[in-house]
Every structure is written in structure tokens, then in C-alpha cells.
Amino acid sequence: MKRALIVVDVQNDFCPGGALAVPRGDETVPIFNRLMPSYDFVVVTQDWHPPDHISFAASHPGRKPFETILINGRPQTLWPVHCVRDTSGAGLHPALRRDAIGRYEKKGIEPETESYSAFSGSLAAQLRSEGFRALDIGGLATDYCVRATVLDACAAGFTTRVLVYACRGIEAAPGDIARALEEMRAGGAVLVHA
Ligand code: VGL
Ligand code: ZN
């Protein structure tokens, strides 16, 4: 069976020293470098926000990062300014290998909408049309973009595995990572721990 790998948001801003650093996010780099050549196709996603993105606390006067507010009735976690398009923070980690990447998928590009999932655009249709039915997914952050991408992959009918050893999470509240993993399992994904 043809299997594709989706590497979620291994970007400078999500790695130590970045604007929204995921603890030990950079540990995923050597793991993906080793994994990539064994897949039929590799998709690398990038959070790619306009400077005034709705998810930034700075776009909401008086609000602070990591607060949650309601936007159109939906809870939205507010973040530090991160992954602004065409900035170094939005760049992929410099040590992530580039030679095996088949597609770069940018997301979060609309100012007014949060979109944690890699499947907000045409990715599912492209993968399906090229004969992919099975996806392995890992990256940053377990409790946000990985979670949303995995749940969408399952809902779109892909046989989906989460490479838990190649994920790191934000854990804004204790238990967020464990809850996200359980939601992905309940959504139909297989959790791979080693
Ligand atoms: C992400 C928070 C805000 C992620 C993106 O890649 O998981 N998290 N934007
Ligand atoms: Zn973001």
C-alpha cells in the first residue's frame, strides 16, 4: 500500500528559541530525517500567518497570549505572534532535510480564520487522486495542528497512524497532550509509540 508521511509544522517558531516554542520540538528533526526516505511521498506543512492573524493576542487589544476568547461563538486560544509568512520564524528548522519533500502545504493563511489542519485546502483530494489511502502523521504540536490534521485525515477516510514518538506538544493545560492522543485514537487513528 502506498503510504505518505505528513510532517506537521517543524518550523523555527515552534522550536526552542522560537516565538511559540514547543518543548523539545527540535527533537523531531532527526527522527523525520531518518523516516522521510522510506515513504512514497512526503508532505511538509507550514503555519503561515498574515501579520494581523486572528489567533494572535496582539490582534485583540487587552488580551494576552494563551487566553481563550470566543470568536463567533467558538473558543479561540490566543497565541504570541508566530509563523508570520515569509519571516525566519515561519521557516522550516534548518536541519530538516529538504531532498525528500514532495509538497509544501501552507495553512493559516487567511487573516480571519484559525486553521490548525493540513487539510484546509486541496491536500486530501491530491493525495487521494495519486492513490494514497494510508497516512503517517507527526510533528508539532500534538495538541493543536497534529491533532486537527489527524482528525481530518480520519474523517476524510485515510487509514491514519500517529507517530507519537515524532510528535511534541504545547501542553498549555496539564493533560492536553494525553487528551489529544485519546481523541485521535477515538477518531480512528492508530497511535504508534516506537
Ligand atoms: C499551532 C498553535 C498555533 C501548531 C499553530 O502548529 O500546532 N499551534 N498555531
Ligand atoms: Zn498558528
Side-chain angles (χ1 to χ4, degrees):
M1 183 158 53
K2 289 215 299 179
R3 190 178 289 274
L5 173 68
I6 302 185
V7 178
V8 177
D9 295 3
V10 181
Q11 292 167 271
N12 292 318
D13 270 345
F14 294 127
C15 289
L20 179 44
V22 177
R24 299 181 294 122
D26 56 332
E27 291 178 1
T28 62
V29 171
I31 300 171
F32 285 123
N33 285 349
R34 182 168 44 78
L35 287 174
M36 280 196 243
S38 59
Y39 283 84
D40 301 296
F41 193 65
V42 177
V43 179
V44 167
T45 73
Q46 283 174 279
D47 214 29
W48 196 258
H49 296 313
D52 56 348
H53 192 249
I54 195 166
S55 77
F56 297 165
S59 304
H60 305 272
R63 299 292 173 178
K64 292 197 185 66
F66 304 102
E67 283 182 37
T68 300
I69 63 169
L70 288 179
I71 297 178
N72 301 323
R74 302 239 234 107
Q76 166 69 59
T77 302
L78 298 178
W79 303 111
V81 173
H82 66 279
C83 296
V84 173
R85 62 184 178 217
D86 296 311
T87 65
S88 58
L92 296 172
H93 188 289
L96 189 71
R97 66 188 294 166
R98 308 296 205 270
D99 58 333
I101 299 173
R103 172 166 171 152
Y104 295 86
E105 184 70 12
K106 293 184 167 54
K107 60 184 178 54
I109 59 179
E110 299 290 343
E112 301 299 332
T113 37
E114 182 62 282
S115 56
Y116 291 130
S117 170
F119 292 102
S120 3
S122 61
L123 182 60
Q126 191 211 324
L127 290 172
R128 222 182 271 119
S129 76
E130 289 177 13
F132 291 99
R133 298 285 176 274
L135 304 178
D136 285 358
I137 300 174
L140 312 174
T142 316
D143 30 2
Y144 290 94
C145 287
V146 173
R147 171 186 174 279
T149 297
V150 167
L151 292 176
D152 274 0
C154 292
F158 292 101
T159 299
T160 305
R161 300 196 298 204
V162 185
L163 307 181
V164 180
Y165 59 93
C167 295
R168 297 293 183 273
I170 293 176
E171 193 91 340
D176 278 358
I177 294 173
R179 270 189 295 276
L181 291 172
E182 172 53 25
E183 286 176 283
M184 292 186 265
R185 196 199 56 74
V190 171
L191 307 186
V192 181
H193 285 279

